[in-house]
């Protein structure tokens, strides 16, 4: 049997080839009963529209470009997976670019990717806003874990959860806390630092918050910060992210100290590493599925020419596990 085509389906159904084509490329322009007949016949004949041909006809590629800062950071794999899952629901594919490969060349990577996709999702970019906008140009785009005036965004607001984490440490008897700040150019790091600073203003008078950093969001940063943590006398630790928190735990272990017996620590993001650690890490859980779903949905609206850039916030939540305990 010959493979089914738009024209063989059209002949069988007694309609025009353009109507069959529109049932796949612009289904909103085809009457419901006609579209259902077309799709049912196509399924029975094993026909699927050719993406390349459809792209030539509609100007769409069916591709979403996704740019991440550093794929080796444990925050990004679950985010990438959630975006791919949401994209699959609209029959789109994701073209992933790791900006760490390009380093300072990130703007060029974004520009090259723009010409190959229908729209961009840019996650946790540390580019200055003007440079980021210039790189994106006229390409429909959504930022994740970053906000910028004039661009649509989806962010995880951890402010309440971080304040709950600080309250939790105080309730356990810790009176000297240390905040390990994240990268200076990171929008998320700035927001997390601001949340703890706001909390500190209304904290009990005998509570002291000491800031260290900024640090890169890597394991080594946490391990290397341990001497300064010990010198500060802090017994409660708020780390920028889970990766950094794991470094602190390793650095303490190298000095014969255990968590939570000698120090209590809270991470942020709740990546897989946090749940497989021994003991499991108390952390702020990011809703990765919600981040990915909203990013893809919002990008669809931007591609369709929505009225204005939208900004979506999803909230993180404090998850208590084994790395926090009462002060001895």
């Amino acid at each position: 049997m010959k493979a089914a085509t738009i024209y063989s389906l059209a002949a069988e159904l007694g309609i025009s080839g353009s109507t069959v084509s529109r049932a796949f490329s612009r289904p909103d322009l085809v009457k419901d009963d006609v579209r259902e007949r077309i799709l049912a016949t196509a399924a029975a004949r094993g026909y699927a529209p050719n993406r390349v041909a459809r792209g030539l006809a509609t100007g769409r590629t069916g591709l979403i470009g996704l740019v991440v800062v550093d794929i080796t950071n444990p925050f990004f794999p679950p985010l990438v997976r959630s975006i791919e899952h949401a994209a699959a629901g609209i029959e789109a594919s994701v073209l992933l670019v790791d900006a760490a490969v390009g380093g300072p060349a990130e703007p060029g990577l974004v520009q090259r990717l723009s010409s190959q996709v229908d729209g961009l999702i840019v996650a946790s970019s540390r580019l200055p806003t003007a440079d980021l906008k210039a790189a994106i140009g006229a390409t429909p785009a959504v930022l994740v874990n970053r906000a910028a005036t004039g661009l649509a965004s989806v962010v995880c607001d951890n402010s309440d959860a971080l304040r709950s984490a600080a309250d939790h440490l105080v309730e356990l008897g810790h009176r000297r806390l240390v905040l390990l700040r994240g990268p200076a150019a990171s929008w998320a790091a700035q927001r997390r630092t601001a949340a703890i600073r706001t909390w500190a203003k209304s904290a009990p008078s005998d509570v002291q918050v000491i800031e260290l950093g900024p640090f890169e969001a890597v394991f080594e940063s946490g391990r290397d910060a341990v001497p300064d943590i010990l010198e500060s006398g802090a017994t409660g630790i708020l780390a920028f992210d889970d990766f950094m928190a794991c470094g602190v735990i390793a650095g303490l272990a190298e000095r014969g100290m255990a968590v939570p017996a000698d120090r209590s620590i809270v991470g942020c993001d709740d990546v897989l590493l946090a749940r497989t650690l021994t003991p499991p890490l108390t952390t702020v859980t990011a809703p990765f599925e919600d981040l990915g779903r909203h990013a893809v949905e919002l990008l669809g609206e931007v591609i369709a020419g929505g009225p204005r850039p939208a900004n979506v916030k999803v909230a993180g939540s404090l998850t208590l596990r084994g790395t926090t305990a009462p002060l001895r």
Side-chain angles (χ1 to χ4, degrees), residues 13-270:
L13 293 167
I15 58 179
S16 69
S18 60
T19 300
V20 175
S21 177
R22 279 195 296 271
F24 294 99
S25 63
R26 293 294 304 275
D28 54 306
L29 298 181
V30 182
K31 291 181 179 179
D32 291 346
D33 59 329
V34 176
R35 184 175 66 251
E36 289 173 4
R37 286 174 54 213
I38 293 170
L39 296 180
T41 304
R45 302 292 177 266
Y47 172 79
N50 182 284
R51 171 169 283 173
V52 174
R54 184 172 64 184
L56 291 172
T58 64
R60 299 283 174 83
T61 66
L63 290 174
I64 293 172
L66 173 58
V67 182
V68 301
V69 171
D70 180 4
I71 195 60
T72 64
N73 187 309
F75 174 84
F76 290 109
L79 178 64
V80 171
R81 174 171 289 183
S82 70
I83 290 172
E84 289 182 331
H85 183 264
I90 59 171
E91 297 185 348
S93 298
V94 176
L95 185 56
L96 174 65
V97 170
D98 180 8
V101 174
E106 181 182 349
L109 292 173
V110 172
Q111 290 171 343
R112 288 197 296 274
L113 185 61
S114 296
S115 65
Q116 304 174 53
V117 298
D118 297 327
L120 290 170
I121 296 175
V122 183
S124 302
S125 176
R126 299 179 192 171
L127 285 175
T129 299
D131 294 346
L132 180 59
K133 287 184 175 180
I136 291 171
T139 305
V142 171
L143 306 182
V144 174
N145 224 24
R146 164 78 183 269
T149 304
L151 291 173
S153 64
V154 181
V155 301
C156 183
D157 187 354
N158 291 317
S159 299
D160 287 344
L162 287 168
R163 288 191 281 266
S164 295
D167 284 336
H168 171 63
L169 291 172
V170 171
E171 289 166 1
L172 292 174
H174 300 279
R175 288 298 179 269
R176 182 167 290 193
L177 312 182
V178 65
L179 170 64
L180 302 183
R181 295 165 52 203
S186 165
W187 182 87
Q190 294 166 12
R191 298 285 294 180
R192 293 175 189 185
T193 296
I196 295 301
R197 286 175 178 173
T198 299
W199 172 86
K201 292 177 182 177
S202 57
S205 59
D206 62 338
V207 171
Q208 181 181 8
V209 177
I210 301 148
E211 294 185 15
L212 296 178
F215 300 105
E216 283 303 307
V218 294
F219 178 89
E220 290 77 13
S221 292
R223 186 176 60 194
D224 294 345
V226 168
D228 289 334
I229 292 172
L230 297 178
E231 184 178 346
S232 74
T235 59
I237 305 162
L238 295 158
F240 165 69
D241 66 2
D242 297 336
F243 211 14
M244 194 181 293
C246 289
V248 172
I249 293 171
L252 289 171
E254 290 169 0
R255 291 162 174 79
M257 298 181 180
V259 171
D262 298 302
R263 296 292 188 280
S264 286
I265 187 166
V266 179
C268 196
D269 294 332
D270 201 6

